[in-house]
Amino acid sequence: MESRLKELQLEALKKIDEAIDLKQLNEVRVAYLGKKGPITEVLRGMGKLSAEERPKMGALANEVRGEIGQSLEKKQSKLERDAVEKQLASETIDVTLPGSPVKEGNHHPLTRVIEEIEDLFIGMGYQVAEGPEVEKDYYNFEALNLPKGHPARDMQDSFYITEEILLRTHTSPVQARTMEKHAGEGPVKIICPGKVYRRDSDDATHSHQFMQIEGLVIDENISMSDLKGTLQVFAKKIFGEEREIRLRPSFFPFTEPSVEMDISCKMCDGKGCSVCKRTGWIEILGAGMVHPNVLEMAGFDSKKYSGFAFGMGPERIAMLKYGVDDIRHFYTNDIRFLKQFHEHE
Ligand code: FA5
């Protein structure tokens, strides 16, 4: 019996040594230490032994079991360590490998033009104001001297939501809102960039949804020459000294007198093409001296205060600046078009 136990011990230790993973090791454990294993089997025969031999054999059997158990534990922790090391090795990152290039985006050309114009006016002491795109008829028209039924409302064909609410047709309602906030106290000096909506048919220079940047200055003794000087500084900074500018008399119910400013067409150098409709000029903004009725409606004393306002189209400005021949390019988001405005190249 003693030799059988020693033999089993050697056999078990060999198998433990040979086990290559935890599954195999567990099989060895069950085979040698389990209830149906050979050691238990041997111990069952102890009844046949003499009284002196029985405790000796019992002690030996426990010793054999203990050795096998210890050996199993040792091997188990080795296999577990090996498994962790193997996993770590397989997950190692080679930091010397070159990374995959990250595609860099760039600002939309309209955003660039708007930010450039904003920076220019901020530099001249203007603040940036905002207003809602879904606007009340009152601010979009009435507060701007355009009562219901006024024929000039047709100049800006509108998307109405209800009788009193519409998508703003220009950024001028922000003038009315800002003046109202100032409650008759000057000075006011703001610009307001934002989206506007009109039922215009889309063509090379018209879109049904486009951007405008509104400007408003109110103070004592503001005159038409302040407006002209401001527009000249703006045009020279944005388009460069070489482009020609012209101011034409115009009409807006909220300004008196009113003007429109054109820039010589970059596409044809003023000779006339499809973009400028053969005129050599592209209209980029409307402007004028704030109408006394508008000042009074917003609570300003028109005898004390005067002001000028302008509303420009950044799409037209971007077209002239970058030589874009169709306003629709700004909204179709063709990546080949947008990529041409990469700032970092
Ligand atoms: C206005 O919207 C006035 N609110 C501007 C104004 C403000 C005048 C303050 C006086 C004082 P107008 O409808 O002309 O005016 O539009 C102003 C500019 O927006 C135009 O010069 C043009 O650059 C641009 N614009 C007008 N309609 C469109 C359109 N459908 N698509 C693209 N740009 C347009």
Side-chain angles (χ1 to χ4, degrees):
M1 186 176 267
E2 187 179 338
S3 62
R4 174 69 184 137
L5 281 171
K6 292 270 180 205
E7 200 179 293
L8 284 172
Q9 180 179 353
L10 287 175
E11 225 179 85
L13 294 183
K14 187 162 174 274
K15 291 216 168 130
I16 290 168
D17 196 36
E18 286 167 359
I20 54 162
D21 56 27
L22 291 167
K23 187 169 169 269
Q24 281 187 9
L25 194 68
N26 202 37
E27 281 164 12
V28 179
R29 184 194 316 276
V30 172
Y32 286 87
L33 300 184
K35 278 189 186 143
K36 292 179 187 153
I39 299 179
T40 319
E41 188 66 41
V42 172
L43 292 176
R44 275 206 195 104
M46 290 231 310
K48 292 181 198 139
L49 296 175
S50 65
E52 307 92 74
E53 271 200 283
R54 222 176 284 154
K56 251 172 73 190
M57 255 340 113
L60 180 64
N62 280 340
E63 198 183 303
V64 169
R65 271 206 162 130
E67 296 252 339
I68 295 175
Q70 265 182 21
S71 206
L72 278 166
E73 256 173 52
K74 253 199 204 155
K75 183 72 187 236
Q76 177 162 348
S77 27
K78 181 179 180 309
L79 286 175
E80 279 169 355
R81 250 191 345 264
D82 287 355
V84 170
E85 266 163 31
K86 201 169 146 197
Q87 192 183 352
L88 285 176
S90 73
E91 287 173 1
T92 324
I93 297 166
D94 183 353
V95 289
T96 63
L97 280 177
S100 25
V102 178
K103 279 195 190 135
E104 238 183 84
N106 53 287
H107 283 117
H108 192 279
L110 275 180
T111 308
R112 275 175 71 177
V113 163
I114 291 169
E115 284 181 357
E116 196 181 333
I117 296 171
E118 272 178 5
D119 285 349
L120 172 65
F121 281 99
I122 289 169
M124 294 198 280
Y126 287 67
Q127 288 191 329
V128 179
E130 275 186 358
E133 286 172 32
V134 179
E135 186 53 285
K136 288 186 176 154
D137 182 279
Y138 175 77
Y139 290 111
N140 197 80
F141 290 130
E142 281 179 54
L144 296 170
N145 206 22
L146 273 148
K148 288 207 167 69
H150 194 292
R153 284 193 177 207
D154 289 350
M155 286 161 71
Q156 300 181 4
D157 224 350
S158 324
F159 290 111
Y160 271 92
I161 293 168
T162 67
E163 286 239 329
E164 293 303 327
I165 295 174
L166 74 162
L167 297 181
R168 68 178 176 193
T169 54
H170 51 176
T171 41
S172 299
V174 185
Q175 278 188 41
R177 284 179 175 274
T178 308
M179 281 191 252
E180 207 176 73
K181 261 194 223 143
H182 277 256
E185 280 298 315
V188 178
K189 212 171 171 188
I190 55 134
I191 53 159
C192 164
K195 283 191 192 127
V196 301
Y197 305 83
R198 284 187 202 175
R199 287 171 50 135
D200 278 350
S201 308
D202 291 3
D203 63 22
T205 51
H206 290 83
S207 172
H208 57 281
Q209 180 245 291
F210 57 102
M211 305 284 297
Q212 279 193 344
I213 302 177
E214 192 79 10
L216 173 71
V217 173
I218 298 176
D219 207 345
E220 293 175 33
N221 302 319
I222 296 288
S223 71
M224 190 78 184
S225 60
D226 294 312
L227 169 64
K228 203 174 162 191
T230 305
L231 293 181
Q232 266 168 351
V233 168
F234 154 76
K236 287 202 190 318
K237 285 267 187 223
I238 299 296
F239 298 106
E241 300 284 335
E242 69 283 2
R243 294 238 74 75
E244 283 187 63
I245 306 156
R246 76 174 184 192
L247 288 179
R248 280 179 290 109
S250 185
F251 170 75
F252 298 103
F254 32 95
T255 48
E256 181 58 37
S258 304
V259 290
E260 277 180 316
M261 185 162 97
D262 301 336
I263 305 281
S264 61
C265 179
K266 187 178 179 173
M267 253 59 75
C268 59
D269 234 347
K271 289 185 199 78
C273 66
S274 65
V275 178
C276 58
K277 305 216 166 63
R278 320 272 156 220
T279 62
W281 298 93
I282 295 185
E283 174 208 316
I284 60 153
L285 62 82
M289 300 306 293
V290 181
H291 197 291
N293 287 356
V294 175
L295 286 170
E296 295 286 344
M297 260 188 281
F300 277 83
D301 179 354
S302 64
K303 290 195 186 65
K304 183 176 174 199
Y305 286 109
S306 55
F308 67 75
F310 54 83
M312 56 178 85
E315 284 87 349
R316 304 251 180 107
I317 294 169
M319 286 172 81
L320 283 163
K321 228 173 131 61
Y322 300 125
V324 176
D325 62 3
D326 198 313
I327 196 169
R328 287 165 285 206
H329 287 311
F330 295 119
Y331 294 112
T332 40
N333 284 334
D334 185 331
I335 207 82
R336 290 165 302 179
F337 171 74
L338 297 174
K339 258 168 53 183
Q340 296 173 52
F341 300 90
H342 213 292
E343 287 116 302
H344 309 296
E345 276 166 7

mmCIF file of all heavy atoms in Angstrom, residues 155-156 169-172 175 198 200 205-208 210-212 214-215 252 254-255 259-261 283-288 309-316 327, ligand 1:
data_model
loop_
_atom_site.group_PDB
_atom_site.id
_atom_site.type_symbol
_atom_site.label_atom_id
_atom_site.label_comp_id
_atom_site.label_asym_id
_atom_site.label_seq_id
_atom_site.Cartn_x
_atom_site.Cartn_y
_atom_site.Cartn_z
ATOM 1 N N MET A 155 -41.170 94.107 -50.763
ATOM 2 C CA MET A 155 -39.743 94.010 -51.098
ATOM 3 C C MET A 155 -39.130 92.773 -50.431
ATOM 4 O O MET A 155 -38.083 92.292 -50.831
ATOM 5 C CB MET A 155 -38.986 95.252 -50.602
ATOM 6 C CG MET A 155 -39.225 96.511 -51.426
ATOM 7 S SD MET A 155 -38.784 98.007 -50.480
ATOM 8 C CE MET A 155 -37.006 97.916 -50.428
ATOM 9 N N GLN A 156 -39.761 92.314 -49.386
ATOM 10 C CA GLN A 156 -39.223 91.166 -48.639
ATOM 11 C C GLN A 156 -40.319 90.127 -48.472
ATOM 12 O O GLN A 156 -41.001 90.076 -47.461
ATOM 13 C CB GLN A 156 -38.719 91.626 -47.270
ATOM 14 C CG GLN A 156 -37.613 92.657 -47.377
ATOM 15 C CD GLN A 156 -37.090 93.089 -46.022
ATOM 16 O OE1 GLN A 156 -37.489 92.573 -44.990
ATOM 17 N NE2 GLN A 156 -36.177 94.038 -46.033
ATOM 18 N N THR A 169 -37.181 88.433 -42.084
ATOM 19 C CA THR A 169 -36.764 88.616 -43.483
ATOM 20 C C THR A 169 -35.452 89.397 -43.564
ATOM 21 O O THR A 169 -34.869 89.517 -44.627
ATOM 22 C CB THR A 169 -37.843 89.387 -44.253
ATOM 23 O OG1 THR A 169 -38.101 90.609 -43.541
ATOM 24 C CG2 THR A 169 -39.117 88.589 -44.372
ATOM 25 N N HIS A 170 -35.051 89.970 -42.451
ATOM 26 C CA HIS A 170 -33.780 90.705 -42.385
ATOM 27 C C HIS A 170 -33.353 90.771 -40.917
ATOM 28 O O HIS A 170 -34.111 90.355 -40.034
ATOM 29 C CB HIS A 170 -33.887 92.101 -43.014
ATOM 30 C CG HIS A 170 -35.035 92.937 -42.534
ATOM 31 N ND1 HIS A 170 -35.257 94.222 -42.914
ATOM 32 C CD2 HIS A 170 -36.058 92.664 -41.678
ATOM 33 C CE1 HIS A 170 -36.331 94.703 -42.332
ATOM 34 N NE2 HIS A 170 -36.839 93.780 -41.579
ATOM 35 N N THR A 171 -32.139 91.268 -40.672
ATOM 36 C CA THR A 171 -31.701 91.358 -39.265
ATOM 37 C C THR A 171 -32.104 92.697 -38.649
ATOM 38 O O THR A 171 -31.806 92.953 -37.481
ATOM 39 C CB THR A 171 -30.170 91.138 -39.159
ATOM 40 O OG1 THR A 171 -29.528 91.825 -40.235
ATOM 41 C CG2 THR A 171 -29.809 89.670 -39.197
ATOM 42 N N SER A 172 -32.809 93.533 -39.416
ATOM 43 C CA SER A 172 -33.201 94.849 -38.879
ATOM 44 C C SER A 172 -34.087 94.788 -37.627
ATOM 45 O O SER A 172 -34.034 95.726 -36.819
ATOM 46 C CB SER A 172 -33.867 95.688 -39.975
ATOM 47 O OG SER A 172 -32.958 95.880 -41.027
ATOM 48 N N GLN A 175 -32.379 95.787 -34.606
ATOM 49 C CA GLN A 175 -32.270 97.236 -34.359
ATOM 50 C C GLN A 175 -33.370 97.655 -33.388
ATOM 51 O O GLN A 175 -33.109 98.277 -32.366
ATOM 52 C CB GLN A 175 -32.568 98.008 -35.645
ATOM 53 C CG GLN A 175 -31.481 98.157 -36.625
ATOM 54 C CD GLN A 175 -31.948 99.132 -37.730
ATOM 55 O OE1 GLN A 175 -32.583 100.132 -37.456
ATOM 56 N NE2 GLN A 175 -31.622 98.812 -38.968
ATOM 57 N N ARG A 198 -36.383 84.496 -46.905
ATOM 58 C CA ARG A 198 -37.286 85.210 -47.822
ATOM 59 C C ARG A 198 -37.781 84.270 -48.893
ATOM 60 O O ARG A 198 -37.059 83.355 -49.283
ATOM 61 C CB ARG A 198 -36.548 86.359 -48.524
ATOM 62 C CG ARG A 198 -36.348 87.526 -47.636
ATOM 63 C CD ARG A 198 -35.783 88.690 -48.403
ATOM 64 N NE ARG A 198 -35.134 89.592 -47.450
ATOM 65 C CZ ARG A 198 -34.451 90.670 -47.775
ATOM 66 N NH1 ARG A 198 -34.311 90.991 -49.037
ATOM 67 N NH2 ARG A 198 -33.907 91.416 -46.844
ATOM 68 N N ASP A 200 -37.582 84.251 -51.873
ATOM 69 C CA ASP A 200 -36.897 84.634 -53.114
ATOM 70 C C ASP A 200 -36.616 83.367 -53.915
ATOM 71 O O ASP A 200 -36.405 82.308 -53.335
ATOM 72 C CB ASP A 200 -35.531 85.280 -52.780
ATOM 73 C CG ASP A 200 -35.665 86.750 -52.420
ATOM 74 O OD1 ASP A 200 -36.761 87.299 -52.624
ATOM 75 O OD2 ASP A 200 -34.670 87.333 -51.930
ATOM 76 N N THR A 205 -27.122 84.733 -57.239
ATOM 77 C CA THR A 205 -26.849 85.690 -56.145
ATOM 78 C C THR A 205 -27.968 85.758 -55.111
ATOM 79 O O THR A 205 -27.919 86.572 -54.191
ATOM 80 C CB THR A 205 -26.605 87.123 -56.704
ATOM 81 O OG1 THR A 205 -27.694 87.442 -57.575
ATOM 82 C CG2 THR A 205 -25.296 87.225 -57.430
ATOM 83 N N HIS A 206 -29.012 84.927 -55.286
ATOM 84 C CA HIS A 206 -30.127 84.939 -54.329
ATOM 85 C C HIS A 206 -30.350 83.558 -53.732
ATOM 86 O O HIS A 206 -30.290 82.557 -54.441
ATOM 87 C CB HIS A 206 -31.437 85.372 -55.003
ATOM 88 C CG HIS A 206 -31.430 86.809 -55.378
ATOM 89 N ND1 HIS A 206 -30.866 87.267 -56.540
ATOM 90 C CD2 HIS A 206 -31.914 87.902 -54.739
ATOM 91 C CE1 HIS A 206 -31.005 88.576 -56.601
ATOM 92 N NE2 HIS A 206 -31.641 88.989 -55.514
ATOM 93 N N SER A 207 -30.638 83.558 -52.429
ATOM 94 C CA SER A 207 -30.985 82.305 -51.770
ATOM 95 C C SER A 207 -32.231 82.583 -50.916
ATOM 96 O O SER A 207 -32.443 83.720 -50.488
ATOM 97 C CB SER A 207 -29.801 81.871 -50.904
ATOM 98 O OG SER A 207 -30.160 80.777 -50.116
ATOM 99 N N HIS A 208 -33.059 81.550 -50.684
ATOM 100 C CA HIS A 208 -34.275 81.778 -49.880
ATOM 101 C C HIS A 208 -33.914 81.883 -48.390
ATOM 102 O O HIS A 208 -34.672 82.390 -47.595
ATOM 103 C CB HIS A 208 -35.280 80.658 -50.103
ATOM 104 C CG HIS A 208 -34.712 79.317 -49.797
ATOM 105 N ND1 HIS A 208 -33.886 78.641 -50.670
ATOM 106 C CD2 HIS A 208 -34.786 78.568 -48.695
ATOM 107 C CE1 HIS A 208 -33.509 77.515 -50.106
ATOM 108 N NE2 HIS A 208 -34.034 77.445 -48.902
ATOM 109 N N PHE A 210 -30.498 83.092 -46.167
ATOM 110 C CA PHE A 210 -29.146 83.632 -46.280
ATOM 111 C C PHE A 210 -28.785 84.346 -44.979
ATOM 112 O O PHE A 210 -29.561 84.328 -44.030
ATOM 113 C CB PHE A 210 -29.036 84.554 -47.515
ATOM 114 C CG PHE A 210 -30.018 85.701 -47.547
ATOM 115 C CD1 PHE A 210 -29.615 86.990 -47.214
ATOM 116 C CD2 PHE A 210 -31.340 85.506 -47.904
ATOM 117 C CE1 PHE A 210 -30.512 88.059 -47.241
ATOM 118 C CE2 PHE A 210 -32.245 86.566 -47.925
ATOM 119 C CZ PHE A 210 -31.830 87.842 -47.594
ATOM 120 N N MET A 211 -27.585 84.939 -44.955
ATOM 121 C CA MET A 211 -27.147 85.603 -43.729
ATOM 122 C C MET A 211 -27.174 87.118 -43.954
ATOM 123 O O MET A 211 -27.055 87.585 -45.087
ATOM 124 C CB MET A 211 -25.706 85.200 -43.388
ATOM 125 C CG MET A 211 -25.436 83.731 -43.262
ATOM 126 S SD MET A 211 -26.021 83.014 -41.732
ATOM 127 C CE MET A 211 -25.058 83.849 -40.489
ATOM 128 N N GLN A 212 -27.320 87.826 -42.866
ATOM 129 C CA GLN A 212 -27.126 89.277 -42.919
ATOM 130 C C GLN A 212 -26.316 89.701 -41.701
ATOM 131 O O GLN A 212 -26.308 89.007 -40.682
ATOM 132 C CB GLN A 212 -28.477 90.010 -42.889
ATOM 133 C CG GLN A 212 -29.157 90.064 -44.238
ATOM 134 C CD GLN A 212 -30.322 91.035 -44.284
ATOM 135 O OE1 GLN A 212 -30.833 91.468 -43.254
ATOM 136 N NE2 GLN A 212 -30.743 91.371 -45.492
ATOM 137 N N GLU A 214 -26.276 93.092 -39.486
ATOM 138 C CA GLU A 214 -26.889 94.399 -39.271
ATOM 139 C C GLU A 214 -25.919 95.278 -38.484
ATOM 140 O O GLU A 214 -25.155 94.771 -37.651
ATOM 141 C CB GLU A 214 -28.161 94.188 -38.434
ATOM 142 C CG GLU A 214 -29.074 95.372 -38.361
ATOM 143 C CD GLU A 214 -29.915 95.503 -39.618
ATOM 144 O OE1 GLU A 214 -29.910 94.572 -40.454
ATOM 145 O OE2 GLU A 214 -30.578 96.535 -39.774
ATOM 146 N N GLY A 215 -25.949 96.537 -38.732
ATOM 147 C CA GLY A 215 -25.161 97.471 -37.920
ATOM 148 C C GLY A 215 -26.048 98.626 -37.497
ATOM 149 O O GLY A 215 -26.928 99.038 -38.268
ATOM 150 N N PHE A 252 -35.496 102.603 -48.128
ATOM 151 C CA PHE A 252 -35.948 101.667 -47.091
ATOM 152 C C PHE A 252 -36.859 102.479 -46.171
ATOM 153 O O PHE A 252 -36.494 103.608 -45.807
ATOM 154 C CB PHE A 252 -34.767 101.104 -46.268
ATOM 155 C CG PHE A 252 -33.795 100.310 -47.085
ATOM 156 C CD1 PHE A 252 -32.577 100.865 -47.475
ATOM 157 C CD2 PHE A 252 -34.078 99.007 -47.466
ATOM 158 C CE1 PHE A 252 -31.672 100.144 -48.234
ATOM 159 C CE2 PHE A 252 -33.171 98.279 -48.224
ATOM 160 C CZ PHE A 252 -31.974 98.846 -48.615
ATOM 161 N N PHE A 254 -37.311 102.346 -43.154
ATOM 162 C CA PHE A 254 -36.770 102.590 -41.813
ATOM 163 C C PHE A 254 -35.550 103.501 -41.817
ATOM 164 O O PHE A 254 -34.979 103.782 -40.770
ATOM 165 C CB PHE A 254 -36.449 101.262 -41.094
ATOM 166 C CG PHE A 254 -36.015 100.157 -42.019
ATOM 167 C CD1 PHE A 254 -34.671 99.909 -42.245
ATOM 168 C CD2 PHE A 254 -36.951 99.369 -42.670
ATOM 169 C CE1 PHE A 254 -34.269 98.900 -43.094
ATOM 170 C CE2 PHE A 254 -36.557 98.357 -43.533
ATOM 171 C CZ PHE A 254 -35.221 98.120 -43.746
ATOM 172 N N THR A 255 -35.100 103.938 -43.004
ATOM 173 C CA THR A 255 -33.980 104.892 -43.059
ATOM 174 C C THR A 255 -34.322 106.040 -44.019
ATOM 175 O O THR A 255 -35.027 105.840 -45.012
ATOM 176 C CB THR A 255 -32.674 104.206 -43.533
ATOM 177 O OG1 THR A 255 -32.956 103.425 -44.691
ATOM 178 C CG2 THR A 255 -32.061 103.343 -42.463
ATOM 179 N N VAL A 259 -29.339 104.378 -48.807
ATOM 180 C CA VAL A 259 -28.380 104.101 -49.893
ATOM 181 C C VAL A 259 -28.192 102.596 -50.036
ATOM 182 O O VAL A 259 -28.551 101.828 -49.130
ATOM 183 C CB VAL A 259 -26.983 104.723 -49.618
ATOM 184 C CG1 VAL A 259 -27.009 106.224 -49.714
ATOM 185 C CG2 VAL A 259 -26.429 104.250 -48.284
ATOM 186 N N GLU A 260 -27.648 102.207 -51.163
ATOM 187 C CA GLU A 260 -27.183 100.828 -51.317
ATOM 188 C C GLU A 260 -25.729 100.911 -51.748
ATOM 189 O O GLU A 260 -25.349 101.842 -52.479
ATOM 190 C CB GLU A 260 -28.034 100.079 -52.347
ATOM 191 C CG GLU A 260 -29.314 99.547 -51.707
ATOM 192 C CD GLU A 260 -30.208 98.798 -52.656
ATOM 193 O OE1 GLU A 260 -30.411 99.271 -53.793
ATOM 194 O OE2 GLU A 260 -30.720 97.738 -52.252
ATOM 195 N N MET A 261 -24.943 99.929 -51.280
ATOM 196 C CA MET A 261 -23.531 99.952 -51.651
ATOM 197 C C MET A 261 -23.221 98.772 -52.565
ATOM 198 O O MET A 261 -23.601 97.639 -52.265
ATOM 199 C CB MET A 261 -22.642 99.900 -50.411
ATOM 200 C CG MET A 261 -21.177 100.036 -50.761
ATOM 201 S SD MET A 261 -20.190 100.495 -49.325
ATOM 202 C CE MET A 261 -19.593 98.925 -48.834
ATOM 203 N N GLU A 283 -24.388 94.260 -55.528
ATOM 204 C CA GLU A 283 -24.907 94.984 -54.353
ATOM 205 C C GLU A 283 -24.611 94.153 -53.105
ATOM 206 O O GLU A 283 -24.911 92.961 -53.071
ATOM 207 C CB GLU A 283 -26.419 95.149 -54.529
ATOM 208 C CG GLU A 283 -27.108 95.749 -53.342
ATOM 209 C CD GLU A 283 -28.553 95.284 -53.248
ATOM 210 O OE1 GLU A 283 -29.254 95.263 -54.277
ATOM 211 O OE2 GLU A 283 -28.959 94.896 -52.140
ATOM 212 N N ILE A 284 -23.997 94.761 -52.113
ATOM 213 C CA ILE A 284 -23.700 93.984 -50.902
ATOM 214 C C ILE A 284 -24.424 94.474 -49.654
ATOM 215 O O ILE A 284 -24.533 93.754 -48.681
ATOM 216 C CB ILE A 284 -22.183 93.884 -50.603
ATOM 217 C CG1 ILE A 284 -21.591 95.271 -50.390
ATOM 218 C CG2 ILE A 284 -21.439 93.110 -51.670
ATOM 219 C CD1 ILE A 284 -20.367 95.210 -49.491
ATOM 220 N N LEU A 285 -24.895 95.725 -49.682
ATOM 221 C CA LEU A 285 -25.600 96.172 -48.474
ATOM 222 C C LEU A 285 -26.552 97.327 -48.728
ATOM 223 O O LEU A 285 -26.434 98.055 -49.706
ATOM 224 C CB LEU A 285 -24.597 96.546 -47.363
ATOM 225 C CG LEU A 285 -23.601 97.680 -47.543
ATOM 226 C CD1 LEU A 285 -24.233 99.043 -47.253
ATOM 227 C CD2 LEU A 285 -22.445 97.479 -46.573
ATOM 228 N N GLY A 286 -27.510 97.411 -47.799
ATOM 229 C CA GLY A 286 -28.416 98.558 -47.761
ATOM 230 C C GLY A 286 -28.103 99.316 -46.481
ATOM 231 O O GLY A 286 -27.696 98.726 -45.483
ATOM 232 N N ALA A 287 -28.300 100.644 -46.523
ATOM 233 C CA ALA A 287 -27.964 101.438 -45.332
ATOM 234 C C ALA A 287 -28.715 102.765 -45.363
ATOM 235 O O ALA A 287 -29.427 103.075 -46.329
ATOM 236 C CB ALA A 287 -26.456 101.693 -45.304
ATOM 237 N N GLY A 288 -28.548 103.536 -44.313
ATOM 238 C CA GLY A 288 -29.169 104.866 -44.291
ATOM 239 C C GLY A 288 -29.191 105.436 -42.888
ATOM 240 O O GLY A 288 -28.713 104.816 -41.934
ATOM 241 N N ALA A 309 -27.753 103.048 -39.886
ATOM 242 C CA ALA A 309 -27.875 101.591 -39.824
ATOM 243 C C ALA A 309 -27.482 101.022 -41.171
ATOM 244 O O ALA A 309 -27.556 101.703 -42.196
ATOM 245 C CB ALA A 309 -29.302 101.195 -39.478
ATOM 246 N N PHE A 310 -27.038 99.781 -41.155
ATOM 247 C CA PHE A 310 -26.754 99.102 -42.431
ATOM 248 C C PHE A 310 -27.074 97.617 -42.281
ATOM 249 O O PHE A 310 -27.116 97.094 -41.155
ATOM 250 C CB PHE A 310 -25.290 99.298 -42.878
ATOM 251 C CG PHE A 310 -24.269 98.895 -41.836
ATOM 252 C CD1 PHE A 310 -23.884 97.563 -41.686
ATOM 253 C CD2 PHE A 310 -23.693 99.851 -41.009
ATOM 254 C CE1 PHE A 310 -22.937 97.194 -40.731
ATOM 255 C CE2 PHE A 310 -22.748 99.490 -40.051
ATOM 256 C CZ PHE A 310 -22.376 98.162 -39.907
ATOM 257 N N GLY A 311 -27.336 96.965 -43.399
ATOM 258 C CA GLY A 311 -27.579 95.516 -43.393
ATOM 259 C C GLY A 311 -26.881 94.931 -44.591
ATOM 260 O O GLY A 311 -27.162 95.299 -45.735
ATOM 261 N N MET A 312 -25.896 94.064 -44.332
ATOM 262 C CA MET A 312 -25.100 93.538 -45.452
ATOM 263 C C MET A 312 -25.291 92.032 -45.624
ATOM 264 O O MET A 312 -25.716 91.348 -44.700
ATOM 265 C CB MET A 312 -23.623 93.867 -45.261
ATOM 266 C CG MET A 312 -23.036 93.367 -43.959
ATOM 267 S SD MET A 312 -21.284 93.740 -43.859
ATOM 268 C CE MET A 312 -21.258 95.387 -43.236
ATOM 269 N N GLY A 313 -24.976 91.556 -46.823
ATOM 270 C CA GLY A 313 -25.121 90.130 -47.133
ATOM 271 C C GLY A 313 -23.757 89.459 -47.169
ATOM 272 O O GLY A 313 -23.017 89.616 -48.143
ATOM 273 N N PRO A 314 -23.398 88.696 -46.130
ATOM 274 C CA PRO A 314 -22.057 88.071 -46.100
ATOM 275 C C PRO A 314 -21.808 87.073 -47.236
ATOM 276 O O PRO A 314 -20.661 86.904 -47.650
ATOM 277 C CB PRO A 314 -21.994 87.364 -44.748
ATOM 278 C CG PRO A 314 -23.245 87.644 -44.044
ATOM 279 C CD PRO A 314 -24.142 88.468 -44.892
ATOM 280 N N GLU A 315 -22.886 86.457 -47.767
ATOM 281 C CA GLU A 315 -22.669 85.533 -48.913
ATOM 282 C C GLU A 315 -22.099 86.299 -50.096
ATOM 283 O O GLU A 315 -21.134 85.879 -50.734
ATOM 284 C CB GLU A 315 -23.978 84.866 -49.366
ATOM 285 C CG GLU A 315 -24.473 83.762 -48.474
ATOM 286 C CD GLU A 315 -25.339 84.279 -47.343
ATOM 287 O OE1 GLU A 315 -25.381 85.508 -47.130
ATOM 288 O OE2 GLU A 315 -25.968 83.456 -46.662
ATOM 289 N N ARG A 316 -22.718 87.452 -50.379
ATOM 290 C CA ARG A 316 -22.257 88.265 -51.527
ATOM 291 C C ARG A 316 -20.820 88.734 -51.264
ATOM 292 O O ARG A 316 -20.007 88.809 -52.176
ATOM 293 C CB ARG A 316 -23.165 89.483 -51.699
ATOM 294 C CG ARG A 316 -24.639 89.112 -51.857
ATOM 295 C CD ARG A 316 -25.115 89.351 -53.260
ATOM 296 N NE ARG A 316 -26.521 88.991 -53.393
ATOM 297 C CZ ARG A 316 -27.502 89.866 -53.509
ATOM 298 N NH1 ARG A 316 -27.241 91.159 -53.502
ATOM 299 N NH2 ARG A 316 -28.744 89.453 -53.655
ATOM 300 N N ILE A 327 -23.969 81.560 -55.293
ATOM 301 C CA ILE A 327 -24.263 81.592 -53.847
ATOM 302 C C ILE A 327 -24.634 80.198 -53.315
ATOM 303 O O ILE A 327 -24.412 79.893 -52.150
ATOM 304 C CB ILE A 327 -25.399 82.610 -53.565
ATOM 305 C CG1 ILE A 327 -25.467 82.973 -52.086
ATOM 306 C CG2 ILE A 327 -26.746 82.116 -54.048
ATOM 307 C CD1 ILE A 327 -26.372 84.159 -51.787
HETATM 308 C C1 FA5 B 1 -32.428 94.838 -46.125
HETATM 309 O O1 FA5 B 1 -32.666 93.698 -45.812
HETATM 310 C C2 FA5 B 1 -32.371 95.918 -45.114
HETATM 311 N N1 FA5 B 1 -32.827 95.448 -43.865
HETATM 312 C C3 FA5 B 1 -30.952 96.447 -45.034
HETATM 313 C C4 FA5 B 1 -30.848 97.699 -44.264
HETATM 314 C C5 FA5 B 1 -30.503 97.659 -42.928
HETATM 315 C C6 FA5 B 1 -31.082 98.939 -44.862
HETATM 316 C C7 FA5 B 1 -30.401 98.819 -42.197
HETATM 317 C C8 FA5 B 1 -31.005 100.072 -44.165
HETATM 318 C C9 FA5 B 1 -30.648 100.025 -42.822
HETATM 319 P P1 FA5 B 1 -31.989 94.294 -48.641
HETATM 320 O O2 FA5 B 1 -33.259 93.604 -48.875
HETATM 321 O O3 FA5 B 1 -31.460 95.129 -49.756
HETATM 322 O O4 FA5 B 1 -32.081 95.238 -47.358
HETATM 323 O O5 FA5 B 1 -30.872 93.245 -48.232
HETATM 324 C C10 FA5 B 1 -29.611 93.636 -47.738
HETATM 325 C C11 FA5 B 1 -28.498 92.769 -48.329
HETATM 326 O O6 FA5 B 1 -28.807 91.394 -48.120
HETATM 327 C C12 FA5 B 1 -28.397 92.896 -49.830
HETATM 328 O O7 FA5 B 1 -27.566 93.997 -50.167
HETATM 329 C C13 FA5 B 1 -27.757 91.593 -50.217
HETATM 330 O O8 FA5 B 1 -26.363 91.621 -49.993
HETATM 331 C C14 FA5 B 1 -28.358 90.639 -49.231
HETATM 332 N N2 FA5 B 1 -29.503 89.897 -49.817
HETATM 333 C C15 FA5 B 1 -30.767 90.328 -50.012
HETATM 334 N N3 FA5 B 1 -31.531 89.352 -50.503
HETATM 335 C C16 FA5 B 1 -30.728 88.271 -50.644
HETATM 336 C C17 FA5 B 1 -30.924 86.927 -51.094
HETATM 337 N N4 FA5 B 1 -32.113 86.474 -51.484
HETATM 338 N N5 FA5 B 1 -29.874 86.085 -51.099
HETATM 339 C C18 FA5 B 1 -28.669 86.519 -50.664
HETATM 340 N N6 FA5 B 1 -28.407 87.748 -50.201
HETATM 341 C C19 FA5 B 1 -29.426 88.630 -50.207
#
